[in-house]
Amino acid sequence: MHLFYQPNFSELSALIEDEAFHAAKVLRLREGEAVRVTDGQGSWYDAVVQSSTPKRCNLKVVQQTVQHPRPFRIEVALAPTKNMDRIEWFVEKATEIGIDTVSFFYTKHSERRNMKLERLHKIAVSAMKQSLQAFLPQIREVGDFGKYIPTVNTTQRFIAHLPEGKIPAHLLKKASPEQNYTVVIGPEGDFTEAEIQLTQQHGFEMVTLGNTRLRTETAALVACQTLHLVNIISQS
Amino acid sequence: MHLFYQPNFSELSALIEDEAFHAAKVLRLREGEAVRVTDGQGSWYDAVVQSSTPKRCNLKVVQQTVQHPRPFRIEVALAPTKNMDRIEWFVEKATEIGIDTVSFFYTKHSERRNMKLERLHKIAVSAMKQSLQAFLPQIREVGDFGKYIPTVNTTQRFIAHLPEGKIPAHLLKKASPEQNYTVVIGPEGDFTEAEIQLTQQHGFEMVTLGNTRLRTETAALVACQTLHLVNIISQS
């Protein structure tokens, strides 16, 4: 079954742009063939091809399935690594596991100051289809850390940071089920004292993600996975 | 502080082969310089360079630190994917998080039938150093699935597989703290009925790793991370 991602599908009842091109020129779909489309906002549509050109593939919807959103929301915010492969790996894996928002900020010690979000978006679309999900994560740049932190208004906010001489509680113990979470992951060079202070002024709790030292992108994925498990523990 | 991995370091009191070459030709270490060496079996040695040639770097040990092993052991067994990048990512990230054994088996639906273990070994060594650990995971091929399964004798054995029409319990709920675990992850083409049957005959419990469909290497990492969290939950 061919899977497509088409934003605004319910208004269009068709594939356009890249997906239409792929349908017509790569897959060579014909009238009558069955496809499945997600709008990235919770719905799957089973549909049948009515006509197919490289610019537009008109579809007749046979059935719409609404995937219930998770009863919690995960945002992971991180400083992008110099090596973009690592970030791409993180976006793919976090999308497979399930994530709502990936936010890239810039700190004093950031290795990188520009992003190719379009490529990350494609990776997320592909991982969303691969893992049969109907929600596309939002991937965004949020500018300087100092500007971003005060804007975070989720109920549970965490920063993966070990203060001098003290090991904070594990994220698994601090997060409560069915909440909206933001976890902030530092660059390889860590946060400055001032950056940490700012998070403390804005209600972020320090947490550990385990007792080994993790790369930025590994920590980001571990945080995401841990929050899923917080919500599994609480189920009967 | 330069970090080295030297098996049998306590007998050698020196770096040999690749590490000696690296010390002499790349880092150009001199007499008196301080280094740190792990033997990959739980010890870190703080030492001072006495002499350095491309074949041997003699060291005088100043202090030995013994890292306590975790009170649990994790083995993840999987069918290697066609794309070795994916396996390399898994080995790197699993080593960062902490894993004892990575076992590659071959099934009816395996995408690949040969492995470059040497490269994976180097990746694990690098990740071990990066994450400041002193235990090197064992990375091995275990041959055909049918031959491997009867040899598994860990106390807790799991297979990530969803039987027809039923969702098994989550690994997080099934695994107990402080045990030796083996988790078996199937190839993208899944296991055959006969392969599943064999695991059932040998005491493997079916578990789910979450409610999204994960790639082989993602499932393998999620299983590893979940088992760490089983042991965090149980701590006060």
Side-chain angles (χ1 to χ4, degrees):
Chain A
M1 171 69 76
H2 298 297
L3 304 177
F4 294 92
Y5 162 61
Q6 183 59 63
N8 302 320
F9 180 72
S10 55
E11 287 120 59
L12 290 167
S13 276
L15 306 174
I16 59 175
E17 298 173 345
D18 283 359
E19 296 289 68
F21 186 90
H22 189 72
K25 297 296 236 175
V26 179
L27 300 176
R28 300 187 185 285
L29 296 185
R30 300 194 187 166
E31 188 183 340
E33 280 193 67
V35 301
R36 183 168 275 191
V37 185
T38 178
D39 60 5
Q41 300 201 300
S43 288
W44 279 108
Y45 300 86
D46 286 297
V48 171
V49 175
Q50 292 188 301
S51 62
S52 175
T53 73
K55 286 203 179 296
R56 190 177 183 99
C57 179
N58 286 314
L59 299 171
K60 178 172 151 64
V61 173
V62 171
Q63 179 175 280
Q64 176 184 1
T65 313
V66 177
Q67 186 181 316
H68 287 292
R70 285 181 288 268
F72 55 93
R73 293 270 189 284
I74 299 175
E75 173 187 12
V76 174
L78 66 160
T81 53
K82 191 159 95 177
N83 181 325
M84 279 302 293
D85 281 354
R86 298 183 173 282
I87 293 297
E88 288 175 11
W89 173 87
F90 163 66
V91 166
E92 181 184 283
K93 283 7 188 151
T95 302
E96 282 181 58
I97 288 169
I99 192 166
D100 297 280
T101 305
V102 178
S103 302
F104 295 103
F105 56 73
Y106 303 105
T107 63
K108 195 162 166 63
H109 294 149
S110 282
E111 297 177 334
R112 172 180 277 277
R113 291 200 166 275
N114 59 69
M115 300 289 300
K116 291 197 168 83
L117 293 186
E118 188 49 41
R119 179 163 166 77
L120 295 179
H121 173 82
K122 286 184 153 97
I123 284 166
V125 167
S126 184
M128 172 184 67
K129 289 180 189 176
Q130 147 77 28
S131 57
L132 306 177
Q133 294 179 77
F135 289 97
L136 184 67
Q138 178 194 21
I139 300 175
R140 58 182 194 158
E141 283 182 86
V142 293
D144 281 328
F145 189 74
K147 190 186 79 143
Y148 162 67
I149 288 299
T151 68
V152 177
N153 60 3
T154 45
T155 40
Q156 298 215 321
R157 309 166 207 166
F158 303 102
I159 174 166
H161 178 75
L162 312 185
E164 209 55 55
K166 223 175 86 141
I167 296 181
H170 196 287
L171 174 62
L172 187 76
K173 299 286 184 101
K174 279 286 173 180
S176 310
E178 305 198 356
Q179 300 288 323
N180 292 346
Y181 316 103
T182 297
V183 186
V184 161
I185 309 288
E188 303 287 352
D190 214 348
F191 291 111
T192 63
E193 267 314 304
E195 287 162 351
I196 298 293
Q197 266 312 302
L198 184 66
T199 66
Q200 299 306 283
Q201 286 156 18
H202 286 88
F204 281 76
E205 278 196 84
M206 292 194 215
V207 291
T208 178
L209 295 172
N211 50 20
T212 58
R213 177 193 183 214
L214 305 173
R215 284 180 177 275
T216 296
E217 74 281 3
T218 315
L221 192 69
V222 164
C224 180
Q225 171 64 13
T226 299
L227 291 170
H228 276 269
L229 293 180
V230 165
N231 286 274
I232 298 278
I233 298 173
S234 65
Q235 292 166 16
S236 61
Chain B
M1 172 70 76
H2 299 296
L3 305 176
F4 294 92
Y5 162 61
Q6 183 60 62
N8 302 320
F9 180 72
S10 56
E11 287 120 59
L12 290 166
S13 275
L15 305 174
I16 59 174
E17 296 173 346
D18 283 0
E19 295 290 67
F21 186 90
H22 189 74
K25 297 296 235 175
V26 179
L27 299 176
R28 301 187 183 285
L29 296 185
R30 300 195 186 166
E31 189 183 339
E33 280 194 68
V35 300
R36 183 168 276 191
V37 185
T38 177
D39 58 7
Q41 300 201 298
S43 287
W44 279 109
Y45 300 86
D46 287 296
V48 171
V49 176
Q50 292 187 303
S51 62
S52 175
T53 72
K55 285 202 179 297
R56 191 178 180 99
C57 180
N58 285 314
L59 299 171
K60 179 172 150 66
V61 175
V62 171
Q63 182 176 279
Q64 176 183 2
T65 312
V66 178
Q67 186 180 316
H68 287 293
R70 284 181 288 269
F72 55 92
R73 292 270 188 287
I74 299 175
E75 173 187 12
V76 174
L78 65 160
T81 53
K82 190 159 91 178
N83 180 326
M84 278 303 293
D85 281 355
R86 297 183 173 283
I87 293 298
E88 288 174 12
W89 281 119
F90 164 65
V91 167
E92 181 183 285
K93 274 31 183 130
T95 302
E96 282 181 58
I97 288 168
I99 192 166
D100 298 278
T101 306
V102 177
S103 303
F104 294 103
F105 55 72
Y106 303 106
T107 62
K108 195 163 165 64
H109 294 150
S110 282
E111 298 178 333
R112 173 181 274 277
R113 292 198 165 275
N114 58 70
M115 299 289 301
K116 291 195 168 83
L117 293 187
E118 187 53 37
R119 181 164 165 76
L120 296 179
H121 173 82
K122 287 184 151 95
I123 285 166
V125 168
S126 186
M128 172 184 67
K129 290 180 187 176
Q130 148 76 27
S131 57
L132 307 177
Q133 293 179 77
F135 288 98
L136 184 68
Q138 178 194 22
I139 300 175
R140 58 180 193 157
E141 282 181 86
V142 293
D144 282 326
F145 189 74
K147 192 183 79 143
Y148 162 68
I149 288 299
T151 69
V152 178
N153 60 4
T154 45
T155 39
Q156 299 216 321
R157 308 165 208 165
F158 303 102
I159 175 165
H161 178 75
L162 311 185
E164 211 55 57
K166 223 175 85 143
I167 297 181
H170 196 286
L171 175 62
L172 187 74
K173 298 289 186 96
K174 279 287 172 179
S176 310
E178 304 199 356
Q179 300 288 321
N180 292 344
Y181 316 102
T182 298
V183 186
V184 161
I185 308 288
E188 303 287 351
D190 215 348
F191 290 111
T192 63
E193 266 314 304
E195 287 163 350
I196 298 294
Q197 265 312 302
L198 183 67
T199 66
Q200 298 306 285
Q201 286 155 18
H202 286 89
F204 282 75
E205 278 197 85
M206 291 192 216
V207 291
T208 178
L209 295 172
N211 48 20
T212 57
R213 177 190 180 215
L214 306 173
R215 285 179 176 277
T216 295
E217 74 280 6
T218 315
L221 192 66
V222 165
C224 180
Q225 170 65 12
T226 299
L227 291 169
H228 276 269
L229 293 180
V230 165
N231 287 273
I232 299 279
I233 297 172
S234 65
Q235 292 166 16
S236 59

